[in-house]
């Protein structure tokens, strides 16, 4: 039996350098997209979505619930050929119950909002409205992605007079169940 040192696999390991900083949801996507049954379901699905989740606008609306995608814990099927860093994966509330909720309201004159300013200026924001009318945002920043539920004032117009109020009730439920 030949024993090889891990360094002898450095050429293979370099292909996976981008996985070092993956979040748990990104890891889940990487495993899910390699599942042959999932790939078959995703390729057979005709999404009822308007808008573009891949272009510059980064906004889409589902005409109806996608029950097939929901069986996999998703709101809609992303491109199975793309890694987590290059596609928009929207997890269902059932698969990801601890999402933070943001409420957008009009900002008072001179009222600061570092969260909104950071999100809009430093993150790529992708907006999806699901079949029930609930808005979901992906905030993609330097090496991380955060999915949140969103309601309230639209901020897609580029207005800087929006204030984000954060609801941590879902986080509290998770902590109270002893998950965190």
């Amino acid at each position: 039996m030949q024993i090889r040192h891990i360094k002898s696999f450095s050429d293979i390991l370099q292909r996976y350098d981008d996985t070092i900083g993956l979040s748990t949801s990104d890891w889940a996507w990487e495993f899910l997209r390699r599942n042959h049954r999932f790939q078959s379901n995703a390729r057979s699905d005709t999404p009822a979505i308007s808008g573009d989740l891949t272009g510059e606008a980064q906004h889409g609306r589902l005409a109806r619930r996608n029950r097939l995608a929901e069986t996999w814990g998703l709101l809609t099927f992303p491109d199975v050929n793309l890694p987590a860093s290059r596609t928009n994966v929207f997890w269902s509330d059932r698969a990801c119950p601890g999402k933070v909720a943001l409420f957008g309201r009009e900002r008072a004159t001179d009222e600061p909002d570092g969260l909104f300013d950071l999100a809009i200026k430093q993150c790529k924001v992708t907006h999806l409205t699901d079949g029930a009318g609930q808005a979901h945002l992906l905030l993609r920043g330097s090496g991380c992605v955060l999915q949140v539920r969103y309601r309230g004032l639209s901020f897609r117009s580029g207005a800087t007079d929006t204030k984000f109020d954060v609801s941590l009730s879902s986080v509290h439920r998770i902590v109270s169940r002893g998950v965190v």
Side-chain angles (χ1 to χ4, degrees):
M1 174 170 70
Q2 180 182 14
I3 298 175
R4 296 175 63 189
H5 192 275
I6 191 73
K7 288 182 182 178
S8 68
F9 294 102
S10 62
D11 59 325
I12 295 170
L13 295 174
Q14 284 177 344
R15 288 186 253 160
Y16 297 95
D17 280 349
D18 60 328
T19 64
I20 291 171
L22 290 181
S23 66
T24 54
S25 64
D26 287 349
W27 272 113
W29 171 247
E30 290 303 324
F31 281 95
L32 185 59
R33 75 186 187 101
R34 288 166 171 81
N35 180 299
H36 295 296
R37 206 172 66 187
F38 173 77
Q39 291 171 0
S40 176
N41 283 178
R43 289 188 176 112
S44 70
D45 184 61
T46 306
I49 190 168
S50 61
D52 184 8
L53 294 177
T54 60
E56 199 59 37
Q58 298 285 313
H59 175 73
R61 175 179 286 278
L62 296 174
R64 58 178 160 59
R65 287 179 62 184
N66 187 329
R67 298 203 188 269
L68 184 58
E70 286 177 6
T71 63
W72 293 98
L74 299 168
L75 295 176
T76 187
F77 287 109
D79 187 339
V80 297
N81 297 311
L82 295 177
S85 62
R86 293 190 20 234
T87 193
N88 295 309
V89 180
F90 284 93
W91 297 99
S92 69
D93 289 346
R94 184 179 56 95
C96 187
K99 292 179 200 162
V100 172
L102 292 180
F103 178 77
R105 64 173 173 81
E106 191 170 327
R107 193 187 309 196
T109 306
D110 297 327
E111 180 182 16
D113 187 354
L115 180 59
F116 176 83
D117 294 337
L118 280 172
I120 299 305
K121 292 177 184 170
Q122 295 185 14
C123 294
K124 181 177 180 181
V125 180
T126 305
H127 180 272
L128 176 70
T129 304
D130 66 23
Q134 172 65 57
H136 303 265
L137 303 178
L138 288 180
L139 304 173
R140 190 178 301 276
S142 56
C144 67
V145 177
L146 175 66
Q147 182 179 339
V148 299
R149 283 187 215 93
Y150 183 80
R151 63 184 177 88
L153 183 67
S154 173
F155 64 90
R156 291 187 303 119
S157 63
T160 58
D161 56 351
T162 303
K163 168 85 173 149
F164 282 161
D165 290 329
V166 179
S167 168
L168 298 176
S169 61
S170 59
V171 173
H172 174 72
R173 284 193 303 268
I174 291 169
V175 171
S176 66
R177 284 186 278 171
V179 177
V180 177

